[in-house]
Amino acid sequence: MMDNAELAATPSLPFNEDGPLFAEPWQAQAFAMTVRLSAEGHFSWTEWVRYLSAEIAAAKSGEEGDSLDIYYRQWLAALEKLVADKGLASSAELTGRKEDWRRAYLNTPHGSAIELSAADSKPD
Amino acid sequence: MAGHDHTDPPSDIALRVKALESLLLEKGLVEAETLDAIVELYEHNIGPKNGAQVVARAWIDPEYKARLLADPTSAIAELGFSGVQGEDMVVVENTPEVHNLLVCTLCSCYPWPVLGLPPVWYKAAPYRARAVSEPRSVLEEFGVDIGDDVEVRVWDSTAEVRYMVLPERPDGTEDLSEEELAALVTRDSMIGTARAGQE
């Protein structure tokens, strides 16, 4: 698990005494993936911090919206670049998979579990 | 009303996260359990939990409470909280005679803009099954003592409806401010698996 020193060394990470703060579940999921990929040795936390800092610096031009939302949008963009650069998942794979999930939702009746296989088949 | 033959996809950014997560899981680069463990560790830090402020206002302002029970989506928006549009919110009131408990037996529908992130147990199969078949035992395990004369109502989320429990105001809180009252309103008290102010 992350130690707090590493978290504190992460640029602009919003957190309180209980840990990092998230406005929406996807933000916590993006955070968790980053922590695990780093812990599994796919990249170092220092390397991650470089990608995140670059993304934050590039996006400085007055984005509108909630600060946690902006921060984790930059976080996800940085993570997508890092996993692509490391050959873990390409940008084309990510885009394709996103559209598959969108179709899977649209093809799945409410209340049923969303399965990726539903992307290509509308159930009766 | 929207049809039942589809599920509205989440926001584009949430789909990007889901895409990345499913690819990483498939390739064996991360494990679902370890990701869940991190999210669970911080679950109390996720989401705005605006529901506590809604409950505190309803406790001190009877007219607001009436509006909240009659038209929850508008009454919640009155306090500046949005994000529940597109889904009808229903607020169910706990009284000395009735205790309400929320569940979604099929999936894990949950009004997170109001309640924060659902706890892991809420999404787990045992709670989803047992909350319906034996709600009194489930409540007992959560430490909620329900008298035999109290009716337990279980609310199962459906296609377009999200529920929130309006817990009972604890005794002896007449002198507390709205802010102090809000601090007594836990997430679990708005699911029905705890009373407000319960340790």
Side-chain angles (χ1 to χ4, degrees), chain A residues 107-109 118 121-124, chain B residues 5:
Chain A
N107 288 344
T108 303
S121 60
K122 180 110 183 148
D124 297 328
Chain B
D5 60 343

Side-chain angles (χ1 to χ4, degrees), chain B residues 65 93-100 145-152 166-169 171 195:
Chain B
K65 179 173 149 183
E93 183 186 10
N94 281 351
T95 66
E97 293 80 34
V98 176
H99 186 91
N100 296 286
D145 187 24
I146 299 289
D148 289 340
D149 53 338
V150 175
E151 181 191 348
V152 175
L166 174 57
E168 281 184 274
R169 181 171 176 164
D171 291 335
R195 295 182 188 280

Side-chain angles (χ1 to χ4, degrees), chain B residues 57-69:
Chain B
R57 175 67 56 87
W59 282 346
I60 61 169
D61 180 348
E63 285 176 18
Y64 180 78
K65 179 173 149 183
R67 288 200 298 282
L68 179 66
L69 294 172

